[in-house]
Amino acid sequence: MAIILGIESSCDDTAAAVIRDGVLLSNIISSQKVHEAYGGVVPELASRAHQQNIIPVVDQALKKAGVDKKDLSAIAFTRGPGLMGSLLVGASFAKGLSSSLDIPMVDVNHLQAHVLAHFIKETEDDNSQPQFPFLCLLVSGGNSQIILVRSHKDMEIVGQTIDDAAGEAFDKCAKVMGLAYPGGPIVDRLAKEGNPTKFKLNKPHIPDYNYSFSGLKTSFLYLLRDELKEDTDFVEKNKADLCASLQKTIIDILMDKLRKASKDLGIKEVAVAGGVSANSGLRAAFQDHANRYGWKIHIPPFGYTTDNAAMVAISGYYKYLDGEFCAMDVAPFSRVVV
Ligand code: KG4
């Protein structure tokens, strides 16, 4: 039996989860509210909040799981990428706890963990996990990638953004409309009332399976600038249609390349992960592709779309089974690709 404690502290969520033999026992997240007033995450405030939250969050995760810390087999933590100060809190905590309990420590790549969230079992007889090989569209505030997943540890990025991430496109365009941060969920909500074909926005023409969202952002900005010259209430009057058109364009861009990758590589098992995978339009597009192209799709429960420690614990579980432990002097990293 393997019981893994997962710790996630890469950005502004302090999270801990316990997984026993791949089955989730607890998943606790403390989201930091302190950043709301600044319109984005303030790294120094994030690290301080992690320091305050980490002990109560881990304590709650163990209690909820009904597991004593002495029963843990290993501690998994997010090593990167993320904010260095935030990562250091989780890594240092993991080091302290693993050395005091004399159990192994497993370092986890945050991006791979988003992909492996699809392997978390809610119950022992949960058999909904993807079959290898599969494609995973990883879309968040910092990344937009198409990943070819051959095994739990063999992942290849076949396409990625050359500039902004899809989540950034949502957030930055929302900001120019005067919406709060993060704008993605607000655009999603407003888009439900709007006409997605009302405004034509630029789509990129770049080769392979790569993405670009900076042109879309500029064309959105120019549209608003030109229309506001004619009518200062333009945004207010057209908010829902603007959101619907923006969301449709982002989803079209994402799905066009994913469909191309699926066709070229002959892979119909397709998953989505990351913060933007909460988007209702993107989820509907996946369902539509399942119906039209025979894709077997994997859409995560909402709780696994944003940062969480369950995905860290499951990634740690597979590395633990392979005996892939890390040394006490392991250092976090802020930037890296899968
Ligand atoms: O994975 P994540 O929690 O962390 C970062 O990488 O930062 O992703 C956050 C991103 C933000 O850009 C947010 O606007 C976007 O995910 N997001 C959404 C939705 N929910 C979160 N974008 C579109 N529609 C949503 N429903």
Side-chain angles (χ1 to χ4, degrees):
M1 185 168 67
I3 305 180
I4 313 294
L5 169 68
I7 293 173
E8 156 64 32
S9 73
S10 63
C11 190
D12 59 340
D13 294 302
T14 320
V18 179
I19 275 185
R20 183 176 54 211
D21 294 334
V23 181
L24 186 67
L25 300 183
S26 68
N27 187 25
I28 306 293
I29 301 182
S30 168
S31 297
Q32 304 175 1
K33 299 272 172 258
V34 63
H35 310 285
E36 275 168 14
Y38 300 92
V41 177
V42 184
E44 174 62 22
L45 295 181
S47 345
R48 290 187 204 188
H50 282 307
Q51 285 193 331
Q52 283 171 346
N53 296 341
I54 193 136
I55 292 177
V57 163
V58 168
D59 192 46
Q60 238 180 300
L62 289 170
K63 281 206 179 96
K64 174 112 194 285
V67 165
D68 189 278
K69 59 182 184 300
K70 293 195 175 59
D71 301 329
L72 292 173
S73 315
I75 297 173
F77 68 98
T78 303
R79 184 175 169 197
L83 299 171
M84 185 48 85
S86 293
L87 291 165
L88 276 166
V89 178
S92 309
F93 185 87
K95 288 178 186 182
L97 192 57
S98 80
S99 91
S100 72
L101 296 171
D102 198 21
I103 55 174
M105 206 167 59
V106 182
D107 61 321
V108 168
N109 178 309
H110 182 81
L111 302 179
Q112 291 185 344
H114 269 300
V115 176
L116 293 180
H118 286 285
F119 292 88
I120 299 165
K121 288 185 165 204
E122 301 280 341
T123 58
E124 268 166 37
D125 43 15
D126 175 357
N127 288 319
S128 58
Q129 292 76 31
Q131 301 290 310
F132 299 116
F134 66 94
L135 290 174
C136 186
L137 176 70
L138 176 57
V139 268
S140 69
N143 295 279
S144 297
Q145 300 176 332
I146 298 176
I147 303 170
L148 168 58
V149 189
R150 296 193 189 88
S151 74
H152 294 116
K153 50 186 177 182
D154 183 357
M155 301 186 195
E156 182 189 342
I157 298 171
V158 294
Q160 62 185 322
T161 183
I162 58 164
D163 41 55
D164 288 351
E168 258 177 302
F170 271 108
D171 296 343
K172 287 180 178 169
C173 292
K175 195 172 176 187
V176 298
M177 284 189 282
L179 303 177
Y181 176 88
I186 306 172
V187 171
D188 189 357
R189 184 163 41 79
L190 291 169
K192 293 194 174 98
E193 315 292 323
N195 172 3
T197 55
K198 175 85 178 279
F199 300 105
K200 272 242 147 337
L201 298 165
N202 270 6
K203 285 194 199 166
H205 298 283
I206 55 166
D208 308 322
Y209 311 120
N210 289 331
Y211 290 119
S212 166
F213 290 98
S214 64
L216 165 64
K217 192 180 61 187
T218 311
S219 90
F220 193 75
L221 196 66
Y222 286 177
L223 168 74
L224 261 57
R225 187 195 58 185
D226 295 345
E227 295 289 347
L228 282 168
K229 276 189 205 147
E230 308 292 321
D231 177 2
T232 49
D233 281 342
F234 173 76
V235 173
E236 212 40 58
K237 286 181 190 158
N238 293 282
K239 214 170 243 179
D241 291 342
L242 283 168
C243 287
S245 304
L246 172 67
Q247 178 166 302
K248 179 184 174 350
T249 312
I250 295 175
I251 294 170
D252 284 351
I253 295 171
L254 291 171
M255 297 310 288
D256 285 354
K257 289 295 174 85
L258 189 57
R259 205 166 47 245
K260 180 170 156 54
S262 157
K263 189 163 174 262
D264 293 352
L265 300 170
I267 297 175
K268 289 192 170 193
E269 187 108 10
V270 189
V272 61
V276 181
S277 67
N279 185 269
S280 58
L282 184 58
R283 289 171 168 245
F286 261 72
Q287 196 53 61
D288 176 59
H289 278 62
N291 301 339
R292 274 207 280 168
Y293 302 104
W295 284 10
K296 183 157 190 299
I297 55 167
H298 300 273
I299 299 176
F302 284 105
Y304 302 154
T305 58
T306 45
D307 291 347
N308 65 87
M311 67 184 196
V312 178
I314 193 73
S315 308
Y317 169 69
Y318 286 111
K319 284 184 95 171
Y320 174 84
L321 292 184
D322 288 341
E324 285 184 39
F325 309 138
C326 69
M328 213 23 100
D329 61 357
V330 68
F333 53 82
S334 56
R335 296 182 70 82
V336 86
V337 284
V338 174

